[in-house]
Amino acid sequence: MISPIDRKKMSFSLRPSHNAEMKKYEEVYFTYANTGYTKDLCEQYADTFVDNVKKPNPFDMVQLAVLYERIHDYKTAYFYLEQLGDKKLGGAEKFAYCVETLRILSLLGKWRDAVDFRTENINFMQKHSEKVDIKQQADLYMALALTDCAAKKPDQALKLLKFGYKPQGKNDVKLLEIFITVVYIFAKAEDEEGLEGALENARSCLNLFSNFEFSWGKEYYEQRIEDAANGIL
C-alpha cells in the first residue's frame, strides 16, 4: 500500500470527501502496517473504498487488485481489474492498471491474453514510463518479463530485467522484488542451475537490509523468496 502521505499528494485529494476518506485510509493502512498482506486487509480495503462506494476511484481498484495479488488470490484481483477495462483512465491510473493487468494475466497463466494486452498497450506504457521514476519503470519491466515468462520465453524475460536498474540504497525493496522475480522465472523454466544462483542473489540482497519499514518485513520477504523458488509469486 502507498502511505497516507503519498495518497494525500494524489489529484483526487481535492474532492470534498477527502478528509473523511483520508481518515478511513489511515485506519486501513494501520492494519497493513501491523499485520502485512492478509485476506482481512483485502476485505477491509474492498469494503471501505470499492465495494460499498458508488463510484470507486480507479486508483483504489488497482491497489485492491495489488493487495489480492500479494495473497495469491489472482482471480479476485482480476475481477476488480476487469471493471476498469472500459473506463477512461488518466495517464497515471492507466499505467498502474496496465502494469497490474499484465502481472495478473501472466500469473493466471493467460499468456495469450497477456501478450495481446501488451501489444495493445505497449506504446502507451513505454511512452508513459518516460514520465515516471525508476521504481515505476521497474514495475513495468517486471510485468513485461512475467508476460514473456508466461509465454514460455524465459530467456527473453530475463533480458528485460537487465534494463539498468540502479540500487536506491541498501534497503531497496524494489531491487529485492527484481531478484525475487528472477527466482520465479528460473523456477518456472525448471532451470535448477539458474535457480540456485538466483536464490543466492535474492538472499544476499535481503541480507543487506539493515532495517525494514514494518516489523513483518524480513519474514515476509524470506517467504516471498521461498515461494518464488516454488513457482509462486
Side-chain angles (χ1 to χ4, degrees):
M1 285 182 66
I2 70 166
S3 70
I5 293 176
D6 287 335
R7 187 182 175 91
K8 286 180 181 179
K9 297 176 183 177
M10 302 179 74
S11 60
F12 59 86
S13 66
L14 299 177
R15 297 187 304 189
S17 59
H18 170 65
N19 289 336
E21 287 180 358
M22 278 307 306
K23 184 175 181 181
K24 293 178 181 178
Y25 189 84
E26 288 168 357
E27 291 174 356
V28 177
Y29 191 81
F30 180 80
T31 299
Y32 164 70
N34 281 276
T35 62
Y37 299 100
T38 64
K39 184 177 180 180
D40 286 343
L41 171 67
C42 293
E43 292 176 347
Q44 185 181 359
Y45 198 106
D47 288 344
T48 306
F49 293 106
V50 178
D51 293 347
N52 298 312
V53 177
K54 187 174 182 180
K55 291 184 178 181
N57 191 284
F59 162 80
D60 284 316
M61 297 182 74
V62 174
Q63 183 160 230
L64 179 57
V66 173
L67 295 181
Y68 272 110
E69 181 201 324
R70 288 303 177 100
I71 63 168
H72 312 306
D73 188 346
Y74 309 132
K75 289 183 179 179
T76 303
Y78 189 55
F79 167 78
Y80 286 107
L81 290 172
E82 277 190 304
Q83 296 179 45
L84 293 174
D86 59 352
K87 303 287 185 182
K88 185 175 181 180
L89 305 176
E93 294 170 343
K94 185 176 179 180
F95 184 75
Y97 161 75
C98 287
V99 168
E100 188 59 21
T101 298
L102 274 182
R103 289 183 64 90
I104 292 301
L105 286 173
S106 301
L107 294 172
L108 281 169
K110 298 177 178 289
W111 69 270
R112 290 185 184 277
D113 290 337
V115 169
D116 289 345
F117 186 87
R118 178 181 63 188
T119 301
E120 181 180 349
N121 295 282
I122 190 62
N123 288 338
F124 162 76
M125 290 188 289
Q126 289 181 330
K127 187 174 182 179
H128 190 80
S129 70
E130 298 173 359
K131 304 176 183 179
V132 301
D133 63 30
I134 188 65
K135 292 187 176 182
Q136 288 174 293
Q137 289 176 18
D139 290 335
L140 173 59
Y141 278 99
M142 283 189 280
L144 293 172
L146 290 177
T147 301
D148 281 331
C149 177
K152 307 298 183 183
K153 297 179 180 179
D155 291 343
Q156 199 164 307
L158 292 169
K159 285 181 181 178
L160 280 168
L161 296 179
K162 298 178 180 179
F163 65 96
Y165 183 83
K166 295 182 179 179
Q168 311 292 302
K170 63 181 180 180
N171 299 318
D172 187 356
V173 170
K174 194 63 65 177
L175 178 63
L176 181 57
E177 292 280 356
I178 293 173
F179 279 125
I180 291 172
T181 303
V182 172
V183 170
Y184 173 81
I185 292 171
F186 275 117
K188 297 299 284 187
E190 299 182 348
D191 183 337
E192 293 297 330
E193 184 177 349
L195 177 58
E196 184 177 343
L199 275 170
E200 183 178 349
N201 289 336
R203 289 165 178 160
S204 295
C205 179
L206 180 58
N207 288 335
L208 288 176
F209 278 64
S210 58
N211 65 281
F212 294 86
E213 185 174 6
F214 305 110
S215 60
W216 46 264
K218 184 175 182 180
E219 183 178 352
Y220 168 73
Y221 282 107
E222 287 175 341
Q223 187 61 53
R224 283 286 306 280
I225 292 171
E226 296 309 311
D227 285 344
N230 289 299
I232 302 169
L233 196 61

